[in-house]
Amino acid sequence: MIFATVRMVIPPRKSDEALKILKSIADQCRDEPGCLSCHIYEDLQEENVLMLEDVWRSEKDLDLHLRSDEYRNLLLVLEMALQQPEIKFYTITRQSGIETIEKARGATASAPQG
């Protein structure tokens, strides 16, 4: 699995336009083969920061997406940014859920105190 993030600082006067384009990108992205999820977030602690986050089944699926018209539209949004966007790709080899928390909290609860 590939986890991709794009973090950008958009000028306030361009935020409505950027969000409209990003929503369209996310909707189309979710329909692409190999897309496991695609979401847009606004940072509540830092003004004018938007993040696009998507997860791909494989590097091949991601590569197809990077060559798509939707991604070209994302590149146009990135040109609106006030500073260099942060673009990151992570390869995930395993994932877990609540069992990781339960395991850690169970180990803490039974650990001797002293």
Side-chain angles (χ1 to χ4, degrees):
M1 254 188 327
I2 310 294
F3 178 70
T5 63
V6 179
R7 182 183 179 279
M8 61 203 99
V9 181
I10 300 295
R13 71 187 190 295
K14 295 278 190 176
S15 65
D16 287 344
E17 179 183 0
L19 274 172
K20 181 180 176 182
I21 295 168
L22 289 172
K23 286 177 184 177
S24 174
I25 291 168
D27 289 343
Q28 292 175 32
C29 181
R30 287 185 199 105
D31 291 334
E32 287 185 45
C35 179
L36 302 177
S37 71
C38 186
H39 300 282
I40 305 161
Y41 299 100
E42 287 186 75
D43 193 319
L44 297 177
Q45 297 173 315
E46 206 173 332
E47 286 188 37
N48 309 317
V49 174
L50 301 174
M51 180 176 275
L52 180 67
E53 186 179 274
D54 41 279
V55 180
W56 297 90
R57 182 180 47 223
S58 69
E59 193 169 342
K60 179 181 175 185
D61 293 324
L62 173 63
D63 288 346
L64 289 172
H65 172 65
L66 294 177
R67 292 192 296 265
S68 71
D69 289 339
E70 291 82 29
Y71 204 81
R72 185 171 357 121
N73 290 336
L74 174 59
L75 296 175
L76 294 174
V77 171
L78 296 182
E79 289 181 11
M80 297 179 196
L82 291 171
Q83 57 194 25
Q84 183 73 31
E86 294 175 20
I87 302 172
K88 297 180 181 179
F89 300 94
Y90 303 91
T91 302
I92 301 171
T93 56
R94 121 183 147 73
Q95 69 180 36
S96 64
I98 190 75
E99 64 275 6
T100 300
I101 298 169
E102 290 170 345
K103 182 180 174 186
R105 302 229 7 120
T108 302
S110 63
Q113 297 181 2

